[in-house]
Amino acid sequence: MEVGSLAEFLKKHSTLGDFILVEYPSFYPLGDLVWGEIIPSFSSHDILIDDFFGVGDLLFRDYLRKSSPQKYKEVMESTKRIKAIRIGPGRTSYASIVEEIPLTYEISEFMKSYYDALMKLSSHSAKVEYSITFGISQYIYFGGDNALRAILFTRSVLPFEDWTSIYFVNRDILNKQQIAILREMASKLIKIQKEGNLYKLEIED
């Protein structure tokens, strides 16, 4: 099924506890989708961003660089309710940082660090409804099986029922087996495909 707007789809068809996997190709302008559509559409909600290697910040700064003054103002306004967990090196200039997690591919260490970050988040007044993850493909690529196990174990053990999780995955980076494991965890799968000069979003049933 083809989707016109990912933001509208999430509002109408996602529920708390959903894990939504969005697969995109390398040349897709992901920043336009995230910072131009999704974040502004959810600006009245508290949003958590897990940012591996500052990938989200790279997308953010690239989007701002190309934006008109009006768009620039709008996206800056829409970031006010974003909290970020920064994982590994990189910047997160778009949000207040809840926690900075050192880069590790050791399962128990990663889970403990992430759990501590969630506990710190719960001490804030924010009531997160959507969680967005950037750079997960790079994390798995660099860390291999250990990184994938860390993600799998963390999602299976820690409570994610209070919000909708959205993972943006660059399918050109990962192999078929890694993508298959992520798909198996997902409640919904959305593929971004190129047809001619245009991209379309498809829901996999």
Side-chain angles (χ1 to χ4, degrees):
M1 179 178 73
E2 190 170 343
V3 177
S5 165
L6 181 55
E8 288 304 312
F9 173 83
L10 293 171
K11 287 179 180 178
K12 293 178 181 177
H13 301 287
S14 67
T15 58
L16 299 182
D18 275 353
F19 171 36
I20 297 173
L21 194 66
V22 182
E23 297 178 9
Y24 66 94
S26 291
F27 288 108
Y28 177 71
L30 184 60
D32 293 356
L33 174 64
V34 175
W35 297 107
E37 178 189 329
I38 295 175
I39 298 297
S41 296
F42 294 141
S43 60
S44 61
H45 302 271
D46 291 321
I47 298 171
L48 170 66
I49 293 182
D50 292 338
D51 199 343
F52 290 84
F53 303 107
V55 170
D57 193 73
L58 289 171
L59 296 171
F60 174 69
R61 286 185 284 135
D62 186 58
Y63 181 78
L64 289 182
R65 182 178 57 82
K66 299 181 294 186
S67 297
S68 66
Q70 181 59 33
K71 282 287 185 184
Y72 185 98
K73 182 179 178 181
E74 288 174 5
V75 74
M76 293 305 293
E77 283 291 319
S78 69
T79 63
K80 289 182 176 179
R81 297 182 66 171
I82 297 176
K83 305 293 182 187
I85 297 174
R86 186 167 68 204
I87 306 166
R91 294 173 58 188
T92 33
S93 59
Y94 53 81
S96 60
I97 299 173
V98 175
E99 184 70 296
E100 298 181 33
I101 297 178
L103 186 65
T104 178
Y105 300 106
E106 202 279 316
I107 297 171
S108 59
E109 185 179 337
F110 178 86
M111 194 192 75
K112 182 184 183 306
S113 296
Y114 193 78
Y115 175 79
D116 290 344
L118 292 184
M119 291 302 99
K120 193 171 286 188
L121 175 68
S122 67
S123 68
H124 291 244
S125 58
K127 174 63 176 172
V128 172
E129 294 177 62
Y130 295 94
S131 168
I132 296 173
T133 299
F134 296 118
I136 193 74
S137 308
Q138 289 84 346
Y139 179 71
I140 294 171
Y141 175 79
F142 292 129
D145 290 346
N146 285 343
L148 196 53
R149 289 190 192 102
I151 297 299
L152 181 62
F153 188 62
T154 300
R155 286 210 63 89
S156 66
V157 172
L158 298 186
F160 291 92
E161 293 81 16
D162 293 338
W163 56 71
T164 299
S165 301
I166 306 158
Y167 276 31
F168 287 99
V169 173
N170 185 330
R171 63 171 172 265
D172 294 337
I173 293 177
L174 303 181
N175 63 40
K176 285 169 46 177
Q177 290 77 19
Q178 291 166 332
I179 290 175
I181 291 171
L182 293 173
R183 286 179 180 177
E184 193 170 32
M185 290 193 289
S187 313
K188 295 178 177 65
L189 170 61
I190 299 171
K191 288 184 176 180
I192 298 175
Q193 310 275 20
K194 187 171 186 181
E195 289 192 357
N197 294 322
L198 300 175
Y199 290 95
K200 67 177 185 178
L201 281 68
E202 293 183 341
I203 310 298
E204 290 286 310
D205 299 321

